[in-house]
Amino acid sequence: MTALIIQNAVAHEEGLGRLQAVRKGFWADRAANEDKYRAGLASLDLARLRHVNGSPHPERYNPDLWKDEVAFLARPGEADIQSDLFYDFRNNLAAFPAWQEWLRQRRPPTLIVWGRYDPVFDIAEVAALKKDLPKAEVHLLDAGHFALDESASDVARLMRGFLGRLPHRGRSVAGAPI
């Protein structure tokens, strides 16, 4: 691995933020919470909120995103898959210390691009990541959780710049031999 690019993802409990109680409630008692979770998967209004909630630029989103999401989630068996995936996320918390140790030991070149208005993962994760990766390059965007959907050109520019500054180690950025 040459480098990491992190966009609104967590490796620390503080990054779970204000939705941590909801997540932990589901993980503690899946049976009592699963119907509500599955209803959220089928809701067009909640799908829209998953994308635009907290975003300072909701007009940048194509409404087809949440319509397509709901259609995808309505496919046979998909709600089971998503529910299992959400429930299994609790195992990530147990792995967080190992992930953090790996980051501290390896310290790969890292670009952190974060939508500062993310309602899913808390911006406190950025500070936690910086403790593990003090040389990480951090950019806070005026975006929500899906920063790529509303700030794609900014993210692409930052990625190109970051990747262009990496030592090539005998390969081009695209992976082809030089």
Side-chain angles (χ1 to χ4, degrees):
M1 182 185 58
T2 305
L4 289 176
I5 298 175
I6 300 171
Q7 191 261 298
N8 293 61
V10 293
H12 303 83
E13 282 204 44
E14 52 263 57
L16 295 175
R18 59 189 170 269
L19 295 179
Q20 185 168 343
V22 172
R23 290 181 183 104
K24 286 188 173 183
F26 183 85
W27 300 331
D29 190 351
R30 181 176 179 170
N33 292 286
E34 191 156 12
D35 287 344
K36 184 177 179 183
Y37 175 77
R38 286 174 178 255
L41 294 176
S43 167
L44 187 60
D45 289 336
L46 288 178
R48 180 185 173 281
L49 283 177
R50 279 192 289 275
H51 290 271
V52 302
N53 188 24
S55 170
H57 306 289
E59 74 282 356
R60 293 183 183 171
Y61 282 91
N62 181 339
D64 288 342
L65 284 169
W66 45 89
K67 293 174 186 172
D68 291 347
E69 179 180 303
V70 170
F72 175 82
L73 294 172
R75 296 178 339 165
E78 194 60 40
D80 294 333
I81 292 168
Q82 294 301 316
S83 185
D84 288 347
L85 183 64
F86 187 70
Y87 185 66
D88 187 62
F89 189 86
R90 74 195 190 290
N91 293 315
N92 288 2
L93 274 66
F96 281 178
W99 298 355
Q100 295 158 15
E101 182 61 25
W102 186 90
L103 292 172
R104 285 189 296 270
Q105 286 183 2
R106 301 288 175 96
R107 295 200 173 168
T110 303
L111 171 66
I112 301 170
V113 181
W114 201 273
R116 74 174 75 236
Y117 302 109
D118 185 346
V120 177
F121 295 136
D122 200 276
I123 198 166
E125 179 65 18
V126 174
L129 286 166
K130 279 293 280 183
K131 286 181 185 175
D132 295 334
L133 300 162
K135 292 183 179 179
E137 180 180 329
V138 175
H139 297 273
L140 301 177
L141 303 177
D142 285 332
H145 181 68
F146 296 104
L148 286 169
D149 286 341
E150 59 186 297
S151 298
S153 60
D154 292 329
V155 174
R157 177 183 48 79
L158 293 167
M159 287 175 62
R160 279 193 301 272
F162 172 74
L163 293 171
R165 290 187 295 278
L166 293 176
H168 293 289
R169 300 182 190 188
R171 296 213 171 261
S172 71
V173 173
I178 295 176

